[in-house]
mmCIF file of all heavy atoms in Angstrom:
data_model
loop_
_atom_site.group_PDB
_atom_site.id
_atom_site.type_symbol
_atom_site.label_atom_id
_atom_site.label_comp_id
_atom_site.label_asym_id
_atom_site.label_seq_id
_atom_site.Cartn_x
_atom_site.Cartn_y
_atom_site.Cartn_z
ATOM 1 N N ASP Q 585 -24.634 -47.186 69.042
ATOM 2 C CA ASP Q 585 -25.040 -48.594 68.917
ATOM 3 C C ASP Q 585 -26.421 -48.794 69.528
ATOM 4 O O ASP Q 585 -26.682 -48.374 70.666
ATOM 5 C CB ASP Q 585 -24.020 -49.497 69.622
ATOM 6 C CG ASP Q 585 -22.636 -49.399 68.986
ATOM 7 O OD1 ASP Q 585 -22.587 -49.208 67.757
ATOM 8 O OD2 ASP Q 585 -21.633 -49.496 69.720
ATOM 9 N N ILE Q 586 -27.295 -49.453 68.779
ATOM 10 C CA ILE Q 586 -28.650 -49.722 69.255
ATOM 11 C C ILE Q 586 -28.638 -50.985 70.116
ATOM 12 O O ILE Q 586 -28.225 -52.049 69.648
ATOM 13 C CB ILE Q 586 -29.635 -49.909 68.080
ATOM 14 C CG1 ILE Q 586 -29.578 -48.697 67.140
ATOM 15 C CG2 ILE Q 586 -31.048 -50.128 68.603
ATOM 16 C CD1 ILE Q 586 -29.937 -47.385 67.791
ATOM 17 N N PRO Q 587 -29.086 -50.906 71.375
ATOM 18 C CA PRO Q 587 -29.107 -52.082 72.250
ATOM 19 C C PRO Q 587 -30.103 -53.127 71.754
ATOM 20 O O PRO Q 587 -30.971 -52.836 70.919
ATOM 21 C CB PRO Q 587 -29.543 -51.510 73.607
ATOM 22 C CG PRO Q 587 -29.334 -50.036 73.496
ATOM 23 C CD PRO Q 587 -29.537 -49.695 72.056
ATOM 24 N N ALA Q 588 -29.992 -54.323 72.286
ATOM 25 C CA ALA Q 588 -30.918 -55.407 71.918
ATOM 26 C C ALA Q 588 -32.341 -55.037 72.341
ATOM 27 O O ALA Q 588 -32.541 -54.374 73.359
ATOM 28 C CB ALA Q 588 -30.490 -56.707 72.597
ATOM 29 N N GLU Q 589 -33.304 -55.462 71.542
ATOM 30 C CA GLU Q 589 -34.703 -55.195 71.864
ATOM 31 C C GLU Q 589 -35.059 -55.812 73.226
ATOM 32 O O GLU Q 589 -34.682 -56.950 73.516
ATOM 33 C CB GLU Q 589 -35.629 -55.776 70.792
ATOM 34 C CG GLU Q 589 -35.561 -55.071 69.451
ATOM 35 C CD GLU Q 589 -36.039 -53.625 69.512
ATOM 36 O OE1 GLU Q 589 -36.777 -53.268 70.456
ATOM 37 O OE2 GLU Q 589 -35.666 -52.847 68.610
ATOM 38 N N GLY Q 590 -35.767 -55.045 74.025
ATOM 39 C CA GLY Q 590 -36.213 -55.545 75.321
ATOM 40 C C GLY Q 590 -35.175 -55.494 76.418
ATOM 41 O O GLY Q 590 -35.427 -55.943 77.530
ATOM 42 N N SER Q 591 -33.992 -54.942 76.122
ATOM 43 C CA SER Q 591 -32.930 -54.909 77.135
ATOM 44 C C SER Q 591 -32.943 -53.631 77.970
ATOM 45 O O SER Q 591 -32.153 -53.495 78.908
ATOM 46 C CB SER Q 591 -31.556 -55.059 76.462
ATOM 47 O OG SER Q 591 -31.276 -53.937 75.631
ATOM 48 N N LEU Q 592 -33.848 -52.687 77.630
ATOM 49 C CA LEU Q 592 -33.904 -51.403 78.331
ATOM 50 C C LEU Q 592 -35.230 -51.289 79.088
ATOM 51 O O LEU Q 592 -36.299 -51.423 78.503
ATOM 52 C CB LEU Q 592 -33.776 -50.246 77.335
ATOM 53 C CG LEU Q 592 -32.552 -50.283 76.420
ATOM 54 C CD1 LEU Q 592 -32.631 -49.177 75.376
ATOM 55 C CD2 LEU Q 592 -31.273 -50.165 77.234
ATOM 56 N N LEU Q 593 -35.151 -51.044 80.373
ATOM 57 C CA LEU Q 593 -36.369 -50.970 81.188
ATOM 58 C C LEU Q 593 -37.062 -49.625 80.997
ATOM 59 O O LEU Q 593 -36.473 -48.574 81.237
ATOM 60 C CB LEU Q 593 -36.016 -51.150 82.670
ATOM 61 C CG LEU Q 593 -37.224 -51.151 83.624
ATOM 62 C CD1 LEU Q 593 -38.052 -52.414 83.418
ATOM 63 C CD2 LEU Q 593 -36.768 -51.046 85.076
ATOM 64 N N PRO Q 594 -38.331 -49.619 80.544
ATOM 65 C CA PRO Q 594 -39.068 -48.371 80.418
ATOM 66 C C PRO Q 594 -39.374 -47.798 81.803
ATOM 67 O O PRO Q 594 -39.937 -48.478 82.651
ATOM 68 C CB PRO Q 594 -40.355 -48.771 79.692
ATOM 69 C CG PRO Q 594 -40.412 -50.244 79.687
ATOM 70 C CD PRO Q 594 -39.113 -50.778 80.139
ATOM 71 N N GLU Q 595 -38.966 -46.575 82.027
ATOM 72 C CA GLU Q 595 -39.088 -45.965 83.352
ATOM 73 C C GLU Q 595 -38.744 -44.485 83.224
ATOM 74 O O GLU Q 595 -38.284 -44.033 82.178
ATOM 75 C CB GLU Q 595 -38.128 -46.664 84.325
ATOM 76 C CG GLU Q 595 -38.231 -46.252 85.781
ATOM 77 C CD GLU Q 595 -39.590 -46.496 86.375
ATOM 78 O OE1 GLU Q 595 -39.858 -47.624 86.852
ATOM 79 O OE2 GLU Q 595 -40.395 -45.538 86.336
ATOM 80 N N THR Q 596 -38.940 -43.721 84.280
ATOM 81 C CA THR Q 596 -38.463 -42.339 84.319
ATOM 82 C C THR Q 596 -37.098 -42.339 84.989
ATOM 83 O O THR Q 596 -36.949 -42.825 86.116
ATOM 84 C CB THR Q 596 -39.438 -41.441 85.103
ATOM 85 O OG1 THR Q 596 -40.674 -41.356 84.390
ATOM 86 C CG2 THR Q 596 -38.869 -40.030 85.245
ATOM 87 N N TYR Q 597 -36.105 -41.795 84.288
ATOM 88 C CA TYR Q 597 -34.733 -41.776 84.796
ATOM 89 C C TYR Q 597 -34.298 -40.344 85.084
ATOM 90 O O TYR Q 597 -34.498 -39.447 84.260
ATOM 91 C CB TYR Q 597 -33.784 -42.421 83.775
ATOM 92 C CG TYR Q 597 -34.014 -43.900 83.601
ATOM 93 C CD1 TYR Q 597 -34.934 -44.371 82.661
ATOM 94 C CD2 TYR Q 597 -33.346 -44.823 84.388
ATOM 95 C CE1 TYR Q 597 -35.165 -45.733 82.509
ATOM 96 C CE2 TYR Q 597 -33.569 -46.189 84.240
ATOM 97 C CZ TYR Q 597 -34.481 -46.635 83.297
ATOM 98 O OH TYR Q 597 -34.710 -47.983 83.155
ATOM 99 N N HIS Q 598 -33.704 -40.157 86.251
ATOM 100 C CA HIS Q 598 -33.200 -38.842 86.637
ATOM 101 C C HIS Q 598 -31.706 -38.761 86.330
ATOM 102 O O HIS Q 598 -30.980 -39.748 86.463
ATOM 103 C CB HIS Q 598 -33.447 -38.587 88.119
ATOM 104 C CG HIS Q 598 -34.913 -38.530 88.471
ATOM 105 N ND1 HIS Q 598 -35.684 -37.412 88.248
ATOM 106 C CD2 HIS Q 598 -35.737 -39.470 89.000
ATOM 107 C CE1 HIS Q 598 -36.925 -37.649 88.634
ATOM 108 N NE2 HIS Q 598 -36.987 -38.895 89.084
ATOM 109 N N TYR Q 599 -31.268 -37.596 85.925
ATOM 110 C CA TYR Q 599 -29.855 -37.400 85.614
ATOM 111 C C TYR Q 599 -29.453 -35.957 85.904
ATOM 112 O O TYR Q 599 -30.304 -35.095 86.139
ATOM 113 C CB TYR Q 599 -29.569 -37.739 84.143
ATOM 114 C CG TYR Q 599 -30.265 -36.837 83.140
ATOM 115 C CD1 TYR Q 599 -29.634 -35.683 82.642
ATOM 116 C CD2 TYR Q 599 -31.546 -37.115 82.675
ATOM 117 C CE1 TYR Q 599 -30.273 -34.858 81.719
ATOM 118 C CE2 TYR Q 599 -32.186 -36.291 81.753
ATOM 119 C CZ TYR Q 599 -31.542 -35.172 81.279
ATOM 120 O OH TYR Q 599 -32.170 -34.349 80.381
ATOM 121 N N ARG Q 600 -28.166 -35.709 85.925
ATOM 122 C CA ARG Q 600 -27.624 -34.379 86.168
ATOM 123 C C ARG Q 600 -27.024 -33.814 84.884
ATOM 124 O O ARG Q 600 -26.629 -34.566 83.990
ATOM 125 C CB ARG Q 600 -26.533 -34.421 87.252
ATOM 126 C CG ARG Q 600 -26.977 -35.083 88.556
ATOM 127 C CD ARG Q 600 -27.878 -34.201 89.358
ATOM 128 N NE ARG Q 600 -28.331 -34.868 90.583
ATOM 129 C CZ ARG Q 600 -29.088 -34.290 91.514
ATOM 130 N NH1 ARG Q 600 -29.490 -33.045 91.350
ATOM 131 N NH2 ARG Q 600 -29.474 -34.959 92.581
ATOM 132 N N ARG Q 601 -26.965 -32.529 84.798
ATOM 133 C CA ARG Q 601 -26.377 -31.870 83.633
ATOM 134 C C ARG Q 601 -24.972 -32.423 83.385
ATOM 135 O O ARG Q 601 -24.160 -32.520 84.304
ATOM 136 C CB ARG Q 601 -26.313 -30.359 83.858
ATOM 137 C CG ARG Q 601 -25.786 -29.583 82.656
ATOM 138 C CD ARG Q 601 -25.622 -28.110 83.000
ATOM 139 N NE ARG Q 601 -25.203 -27.361 81.841
ATOM 140 C CZ ARG Q 601 -26.020 -26.722 81.012
ATOM 141 N NH1 ARG Q 601 -27.322 -26.720 81.242
ATOM 142 N NH2 ARG Q 601 -25.556 -26.069 79.971
ATOM 143 N N GLY Q 602 -24.702 -32.799 82.148
ATOM 144 C CA GLY Q 602 -23.374 -33.300 81.791
ATOM 145 C C GLY Q 602 -23.236 -34.809 81.887
ATOM 146 O O GLY Q 602 -22.222 -35.368 81.457
ATOM 147 N N ASP Q 603 -24.241 -35.507 82.446
ATOM 148 C CA ASP Q 603 -24.167 -36.973 82.530
ATOM 149 C C ASP Q 603 -24.098 -37.578 81.117
ATOM 150 O O ASP Q 603 -24.668 -37.044 80.170
ATOM 151 C CB ASP Q 603 -25.391 -37.533 83.254
ATOM 152 C CG ASP Q 603 -25.296 -37.369 84.765
ATOM 153 O OD1 ASP Q 603 -24.265 -36.866 85.241
ATOM 154 O OD2 ASP Q 603 -26.256 -37.733 85.465
ATOM 155 N N ASP Q 604 -23.401 -38.708 81.015
ATOM 156 C CA ASP Q 604 -23.176 -39.333 79.716
ATOM 157 C C ASP Q 604 -24.368 -40.192 79.295
ATOM 158 O O ASP Q 604 -24.909 -40.978 80.085
ATOM 159 C CB ASP Q 604 -21.913 -40.199 79.772
ATOM 160 C CG ASP Q 604 -21.594 -40.812 78.431
ATOM 161 O OD1 ASP Q 604 -21.228 -40.063 77.510
ATOM 162 O OD2 ASP Q 604 -21.736 -42.049 78.293
ATOM 163 N N ARG Q 605 -24.783 -40.058 78.049
ATOM 164 C CA ARG Q 605 -25.937 -40.802 77.534
ATOM 165 C C ARG Q 605 -25.675 -42.309 77.495
ATOM 166 O O ARG Q 605 -26.565 -43.112 77.761
ATOM 167 C CB ARG Q 605 -26.306 -40.298 76.131
ATOM 168 C CG ARG Q 605 -26.872 -38.876 76.136
ATOM 169 C CD ARG Q 605 -27.326 -38.450 74.742
ATOM 170 N NE ARG Q 605 -28.019 -37.170 74.785
ATOM 171 C CZ ARG Q 605 -27.420 -35.996 74.659
ATOM 172 N NH1 ARG Q 605 -26.103 -35.946 74.468
ATOM 173 N NH2 ARG Q 605 -28.122 -34.870 74.709
ATOM 174 N N ASN Q 606 -24.463 -42.695 77.153
ATOM 175 C CA ASN Q 606 -24.145 -44.129 77.107
ATOM 176 C C ASN Q 606 -24.176 -44.744 78.504
ATOM 177 O O ASN Q 606 -24.550 -45.911 78.663
ATOM 178 C CB ASN Q 606 -22.772 -44.340 76.457
ATOM 179 C CG ASN Q 606 -22.802 -44.060 74.965
ATOM 180 O OD1 ASN Q 606 -23.276 -44.864 74.179
ATOM 181 N ND2 ASN Q 606 -22.303 -42.895 74.560
ATOM 182 N N ALA Q 607 -23.791 -43.956 79.508
ATOM 183 C CA ALA Q 607 -23.864 -44.442 80.888
ATOM 184 C C ALA Q 607 -25.319 -44.652 81.295
ATOM 185 O O ALA Q 607 -25.642 -45.586 82.035
ATOM 186 C CB ALA Q 607 -23.179 -43.447 81.828
ATOM 187 N N LEU Q 608 -26.204 -43.792 80.803
ATOM 188 C CA LEU Q 608 -27.630 -43.957 81.097
ATOM 189 C C LEU Q 608 -28.177 -45.230 80.454
ATOM 190 O O LEU Q 608 -28.976 -45.946 81.061
ATOM 191 C CB LEU Q 608 -28.416 -42.733 80.618
ATOM 192 C CG LEU Q 608 -29.935 -42.773 80.838
ATOM 193 C CD1 LEU Q 608 -30.259 -42.982 82.321
ATOM 194 C CD2 LEU Q 608 -30.586 -41.501 80.323
ATOM 195 N N ILE Q 609 -27.742 -45.520 79.229
ATOM 196 C CA ILE Q 609 -28.159 -46.761 78.562
ATOM 197 C C ILE Q 609 -27.738 -47.977 79.391
ATOM 198 O O ILE Q 609 -28.527 -48.914 79.599
ATOM 199 C CB ILE Q 609 -27.561 -46.850 77.142
ATOM 200 C CG1 ILE Q 609 -28.209 -45.825 76.212
ATOM 201 C CG2 ILE Q 609 -27.700 -48.270 76.580
ATOM 202 C CD1 ILE Q 609 -29.654 -46.119 75.863
ATOM 203 N N LYS Q 610 -26.529 -47.975 79.888
ATOM 204 C CA LYS Q 610 -26.044 -49.088 80.715
ATOM 205 C C LYS Q 610 -26.860 -49.197 81.996
ATOM 206 O O LYS Q 610 -27.145 -50.303 82.476
ATOM 207 C CB LYS Q 610 -24.563 -48.895 81.040
ATOM 208 C CG LYS Q 610 -23.638 -49.060 79.839
ATOM 209 C CD LYS Q 610 -22.180 -48.853 80.228
ATOM 210 C CE LYS Q 610 -21.275 -49.027 79.016
ATOM 211 N NZ LYS Q 610 -19.840 -48.795 79.356
ATOM 212 N N ARG Q 611 -27.227 -48.048 82.539
ATOM 213 C CA ARG Q 611 -28.060 -48.038 83.743
ATOM 214 C C ARG Q 611 -29.438 -48.656 83.463
ATOM 215 O O ARG Q 611 -29.971 -49.419 84.267
ATOM 216 C CB ARG Q 611 -28.214 -46.599 84.228
ATOM 217 C CG ARG Q 611 -28.827 -46.451 85.605
ATOM 218 C CD ARG Q 611 -28.647 -45.015 86.054
ATOM 219 N NE ARG Q 611 -29.901 -44.398 86.391
ATOM 220 C CZ ARG Q 611 -30.160 -43.116 86.295
ATOM 221 N NH1 ARG Q 611 -29.264 -42.297 85.807
ATOM 222 N NH2 ARG Q 611 -31.331 -42.619 86.665
ATOM 223 N N MET Q 612 -29.994 -48.338 82.310
ATOM 224 C CA MET Q 612 -31.294 -48.883 81.921
ATOM 225 C C MET Q 612 -31.216 -50.399 81.718
ATOM 226 O O MET Q 612 -32.139 -51.136 82.072
ATOM 227 C CB MET Q 612 -31.775 -48.190 80.641
ATOM 228 C CG MET Q 612 -32.063 -46.706 80.823
ATOM 229 S SD MET Q 612 -32.341 -45.851 79.258
ATOM 230 C CE MET Q 612 -33.898 -46.577 78.771
ATOM 231 N N GLN Q 613 -30.114 -50.868 81.155
ATOM 232 C CA GLN Q 613 -29.930 -52.303 80.968
ATOM 233 C C GLN Q 613 -29.796 -53.023 82.315
ATOM 234 O O GLN Q 613 -30.353 -54.105 82.508
ATOM 235 C CB GLN Q 613 -28.694 -52.558 80.105
ATOM 236 C CG GLN Q 613 -28.878 -52.133 78.654
ATOM 237 C CD GLN Q 613 -27.600 -52.232 77.842
ATOM 238 O OE1 GLN Q 613 -26.508 -51.931 78.339
ATOM 239 N NE2 GLN Q 613 -27.724 -52.656 76.598
ATOM 240 N N LYS Q 614 -29.075 -52.392 83.232
ATOM 241 C CA LYS Q 614 -28.929 -52.981 84.570
ATOM 242 C C LYS Q 614 -30.279 -53.034 85.282
ATOM 243 O O LYS Q 614 -30.601 -54.024 85.951
ATOM 244 C CB LYS Q 614 -27.932 -52.176 85.400
ATOM 245 C CG LYS Q 614 -27.696 -52.755 86.798
ATOM 246 C CD LYS Q 614 -26.691 -51.937 87.574
ATOM 247 C CE LYS Q 614 -26.412 -52.586 88.940
ATOM 248 N NZ LYS Q 614 -27.607 -52.758 89.776
ATOM 249 N N GLU Q 615 -31.055 -51.966 85.153
ATOM 250 C CA GLU Q 615 -32.379 -51.937 85.780
ATOM 251 C C GLU Q 615 -33.258 -53.069 85.231
ATOM 252 O O GLU Q 615 -34.003 -53.711 85.972
ATOM 253 C CB GLU Q 615 -33.053 -50.588 85.534
ATOM 254 C CG GLU Q 615 -32.406 -49.412 86.260
ATOM 255 C CD GLU Q 615 -32.694 -49.421 87.748
ATOM 256 O OE1 GLU Q 615 -33.620 -50.147 88.178
ATOM 257 O OE2 GLU Q 615 -31.994 -48.711 88.485
ATOM 258 N N MET Q 616 -33.163 -53.309 83.913
ATOM 259 C CA MET Q 616 -33.934 -54.396 83.306
ATOM 260 C C MET Q 616 -33.470 -55.747 83.834
ATOM 261 O O MET Q 616 -34.287 -56.606 84.200
ATOM 262 C CB MET Q 616 -33.811 -54.353 81.782
ATOM 263 C CG MET Q 616 -34.508 -55.513 81.074
ATOM 264 S SD MET Q 616 -36.286 -55.602 81.436
ATOM 265 C CE MET Q 616 -36.925 -54.493 80.171
ATOM 266 N N ASN Q 617 -32.158 -55.964 83.901
ATOM 267 C CA ASN Q 617 -31.628 -57.237 84.394
ATOM 268 C C ASN Q 617 -32.024 -57.474 85.846
ATOM 269 O O ASN Q 617 -32.393 -58.589 86.232
ATOM 270 C CB ASN Q 617 -30.105 -57.264 84.253
ATOM 271 C CG ASN Q 617 -29.654 -57.355 82.804
ATOM 272 O OD1 ASN Q 617 -30.385 -57.859 81.949
ATOM 273 N ND2 ASN Q 617 -28.462 -56.859 82.517
ATOM 274 N N ASP Q 618 -31.938 -56.416 86.665
ATOM 275 C CA ASP Q 618 -32.303 -56.544 88.081
ATOM 276 C C ASP Q 618 -33.795 -56.852 88.232
ATOM 277 O O ASP Q 618 -34.183 -57.657 89.089
ATOM 278 C CB ASP Q 618 -31.962 -55.252 88.834
ATOM 279 C CG ASP Q 618 -30.464 -55.027 88.972
ATOM 280 O OD1 ASP Q 618 -29.693 -55.982 88.706
ATOM 281 O OD2 ASP Q 618 -30.057 -53.909 89.327
ATOM 282 N N THR Q 619 -34.607 -56.209 87.403
ATOM 283 C CA THR Q 619 -36.056 -56.440 87.464
ATOM 284 C C THR Q 619 -36.396 -57.867 87.070
ATOM 285 O O THR Q 619 -37.213 -58.537 87.717
ATOM 286 C CB THR Q 619 -36.801 -55.446 86.545
ATOM 287 O OG1 THR Q 619 -36.529 -54.108 86.981
ATOM 288 C CG2 THR Q 619 -38.295 -55.688 86.576
ATOM 289 N N LEU Q 620 -35.770 -58.351 86.001
ATOM 290 C CA LEU Q 620 -36.015 -59.733 85.556
ATOM 291 C C LEU Q 620 -35.565 -60.740 86.613
ATOM 292 O O LEU Q 620 -36.259 -61.724 86.878
ATOM 293 C CB LEU Q 620 -35.283 -59.993 84.242
ATOM 294 C CG LEU Q 620 -35.871 -59.328 82.994
ATOM 295 C CD1 LEU Q 620 -34.940 -59.521 81.809
ATOM 296 C CD2 LEU Q 620 -37.252 -59.904 82.678
ATOM 297 N N ALA Q 621 -34.417 -60.488 87.216
ATOM 298 C CA ALA Q 621 -33.898 -61.400 88.238
ATOM 299 C C ALA Q 621 -34.826 -61.459 89.448
ATOM 300 O O ALA Q 621 -34.937 -62.506 90.112
ATOM 301 C CB ALA Q 621 -32.502 -60.952 88.671
ATOM 302 N N GLU Q 622 -35.530 -60.360 89.709
ATOM 303 C CA GLU Q 622 -36.451 -60.318 90.843
ATOM 304 C C GLU Q 622 -37.783 -60.989 90.512
ATOM 305 O O GLU Q 622 -38.368 -61.693 91.352
ATOM 306 C CB GLU Q 622 -36.691 -58.859 91.237
ATOM 307 C CG GLU Q 622 -37.643 -58.676 92.407
ATOM 308 C CD GLU Q 622 -37.868 -57.206 92.741
ATOM 309 O OE1 GLU Q 622 -37.111 -56.345 92.245
ATOM 310 O OE2 GLU Q 622 -38.814 -56.929 93.507
ATOM 311 N N ILE Q 623 -38.250 -60.792 89.280
ATOM 312 C CA ILE Q 623 -39.575 -61.291 88.898
ATOM 313 C C ILE Q 623 -39.555 -62.752 88.472
ATOM 314 O O ILE Q 623 -40.484 -63.514 88.754
ATOM 315 C CB ILE Q 623 -40.151 -60.425 87.757
ATOM 316 C CG1 ILE Q 623 -40.419 -59.005 88.268
ATOM 317 C CG2 ILE Q 623 -41.429 -61.030 87.202
ATOM 318 C CD1 ILE Q 623 -40.882 -58.055 87.194
ATOM 319 N N TRP Q 624 -38.496 -63.194 87.785
ATOM 320 C CA TRP Q 624 -38.454 -64.532 87.189
ATOM 321 C C TRP Q 624 -38.744 -65.662 88.188
ATOM 322 O O TRP Q 624 -39.536 -66.577 87.888
ATOM 323 C CB TRP Q 624 -37.104 -64.745 86.507
ATOM 324 C CG TRP Q 624 -36.972 -66.071 85.801
ATOM 325 C CD1 TRP Q 624 -36.178 -67.116 86.158
ATOM 326 C CD2 TRP Q 624 -37.675 -66.489 84.626
ATOM 327 N NE1 TRP Q 624 -36.325 -68.166 85.282
ATOM 328 C CE2 TRP Q 624 -37.234 -67.803 84.323
ATOM 329 C CE3 TRP Q 624 -38.616 -65.883 83.804
ATOM 330 C CZ2 TRP Q 624 -37.721 -68.517 83.231
ATOM 331 C CZ3 TRP Q 624 -39.103 -66.596 82.713
ATOM 332 C CH2 TRP Q 624 -38.653 -67.895 82.442
ATOM 333 N N PRO Q 625 -38.181 -65.641 89.389
ATOM 334 C CA PRO Q 625 -38.448 -66.747 90.330
ATOM 335 C C PRO Q 625 -39.904 -66.810 90.794
ATOM 336 O O PRO Q 625 -40.345 -67.840 91.324
ATOM 337 C CB PRO Q 625 -37.523 -66.428 91.518
ATOM 338 C CG PRO Q 625 -36.457 -65.558 90.943
ATOM 339 C CD PRO Q 625 -37.158 -64.728 89.910
ATOM 340 N N THR Q 626 -40.676 -65.747 90.594
ATOM 341 C CA THR Q 626 -42.067 -65.719 91.072
ATOM 342 C C THR Q 626 -43.061 -66.136 89.989
ATOM 343 O O THR Q 626 -44.271 -66.064 90.212
ATOM 344 C CB THR Q 626 -42.435 -64.300 91.564
ATOM 345 O OG1 THR Q 626 -42.418 -63.389 90.447
ATOM 346 C CG2 THR Q 626 -41.448 -63.815 92.612
ATOM 347 N N ARG Q 627 -42.570 -66.563 88.812
ATOM 348 C CA ARG Q 627 -43.459 -66.907 87.713
ATOM 349 C C ARG Q 627 -44.301 -68.139 88.059
ATOM 350 O O ARG Q 627 -43.904 -68.967 88.894
ATOM 351 C CB ARG Q 627 -42.648 -67.175 86.442
ATOM 352 C CG ARG Q 627 -41.822 -68.453 86.484
ATOM 353 C CD ARG Q 627 -40.842 -68.518 85.324
ATOM 354 N NE ARG Q 627 -40.105 -69.773 85.303
ATOM 355 C CZ ARG Q 627 -39.066 -70.037 86.079
ATOM 356 N NH1 ARG Q 627 -38.640 -69.146 86.969
ATOM 357 N NH2 ARG Q 627 -38.431 -71.204 85.976
ATOM 358 N N ALA Q 628 -45.457 -68.249 87.420
ATOM 359 C CA ALA Q 628 -46.321 -69.412 87.631
ATOM 360 C C ALA Q 628 -45.655 -70.677 87.086
ATOM 361 O O ALA Q 628 -44.914 -70.630 86.092
ATOM 362 C CB ALA Q 628 -47.666 -69.186 86.941
ATOM 363 N N SER Q 629 -45.924 -71.804 87.707
ATOM 364 C CA SER Q 629 -45.279 -73.066 87.320
ATOM 365 C C SER Q 629 -45.666 -73.521 85.913
ATOM 366 O O SER Q 629 -44.919 -74.256 85.260
ATOM 367 C CB SER Q 629 -45.630 -74.169 88.331
ATOM 368 O OG SER Q 629 -47.043 -74.326 88.409
ATOM 369 N N ASP Q 630 -46.859 -73.122 85.440
ATOM 370 C CA ASP Q 630 -47.310 -73.548 84.118
ATOM 371 C C ASP Q 630 -47.018 -72.511 83.034
ATOM 372 O O ASP Q 630 -47.566 -72.591 81.925
ATOM 373 C CB ASP Q 630 -48.810 -73.850 84.146
ATOM 374 C CG ASP Q 630 -49.627 -72.635 84.588
ATOM 375 O OD1 ASP Q 630 -49.020 -71.652 85.090
ATOM 376 O OD2 ASP Q 630 -50.861 -72.658 84.427
#
């Protein structure tokens, strides 16, 4: 399944042999959500 556009944070991700690819996708989505939650309150008022 292809995730929604913009829901995956571009970054370098480390993993171990045998790690699940779908688990990595979920990790990338969480990283994006956490990043947005941190940045959004600091946006300019205008």
Side-chain angles (χ1 to χ4, degrees):
D585 298 327
I586 305 300
E589 291 296 339
S591 66
L592 306 173
L593 182 69
E595 186 60 86
T596 294
Y597 293 89
H598 296 280
Y599 64 92
R600 306 285 178 177
R601 183 186 184 94
D603 282 358
D604 183 68
R605 291 184 173 90
N606 289 283
L608 179 57
I609 290 290
K610 291 180 180 179
R611 191 168 124 209
M612 295 170 68
Q613 290 173 322
K614 182 179 183 302
E615 291 287 344
M616 176 59 87
N617 290 334
D618 291 347
T619 300
L620 287 172
E622 180 181 347
I623 294 175
W624 183 249
T626 66
R627 70 191 184 281
S629 58
D630 58 348

